[in-house]
Amino acid sequence: MLKSVIAFGLTRRAIVLLGLIAFVGAGLFAFFKLNIEAYPNPAPVILEVTAQAPGLSAEEMERYYTIPIEVGLATTPGVDVIRSTSFYGLSFVRVVFQYGVDYYFARSETAINLQQNVSLPNNVTPQIQGTSLVGEIYRY
């Protein structure tokens, strides 16, 4: 078997050289298209929106803060999933965008939609924090 492979390579040099050139060309093409970063982020853009109103129960936070934030952010372009949790005095909304959405675009559109579409009681201003799954790994 090995003898026949060597014989093929020696008798048909042009085909072997053409295959080698194609292989090297494909490798160079892949190398230049590859996104090379020190710590690549395999996850989509994730923004966390929080609002605090001390003294309110989880049900009140859900009704007055969490649901209006979710409804206001539902029209943001590129949003894939919106998940929320309401605690005693804290509303926590996690907005996951589709793959390929630019971080700064997602953050600015989220801020615009919060400003235009969401009005919370007691002049509470929701805060936007960026997060990533790689950052969560570093934290732990």
Side-chain angles (χ1 to χ4, degrees), residues 66-140:
T66 305
I67 292 175
I69 290 172
E70 285 181 353
V71 171
L73 292 178
T75 60
T76 306
V79 169
D80 190 23
V81 177
I82 298 177
R83 299 178 191 260
S84 65
T85 307
S86 298
F87 301 105
Y88 178 78
L90 177 66
S91 171
F92 180 80
V93 179
R94 178 174 277 188
V95 183
V96 179
F97 287 83
Q98 297 168 349
Y99 285 98
V101 174
D102 183 52
Y103 175 79
Y104 297 105
F105 172 78
R107 189 173 176 97
S108 64
E109 288 295 319
T110 302
I112 289 169
N113 277 347
L114 280 175
Q115 185 179 15
Q116 292 177 350
N117 301 339
V118 178
S119 61
L120 300 177
N122 299 328
N123 295 326
V124 172
T125 305
Q127 303 295 319
I128 303 172
Q129 296 91 23
T131 184
S132 70
L133 297 179
V134 174
E136 293 293 319
I137 292 169
Y138 288 148
R139 187 172 75 171
Y140 290 110

Side-chain angles (χ1 to χ4, degrees), residues 8-9 68:
F8 178 81

Side-chain angles (χ1 to χ4, degrees), residues 52-58 60-61 88-90:
Q52 291 182 332
L56 294 181
S57 68
E60 292 171 323
M61 289 300 297
Y88 178 78
L90 177 66

Side-chain angles (χ1 to χ4, degrees), residues 4-24:
S4 63
V5 171
I6 293 173
F8 178 81
L10 291 174
T11 58
R12 294 175 180 90
R13 290 184 187 143
I15 294 175
V16 173
L17 287 176
L18 192 63
L20 178 65
I21 291 171
F23 185 72
V24 169

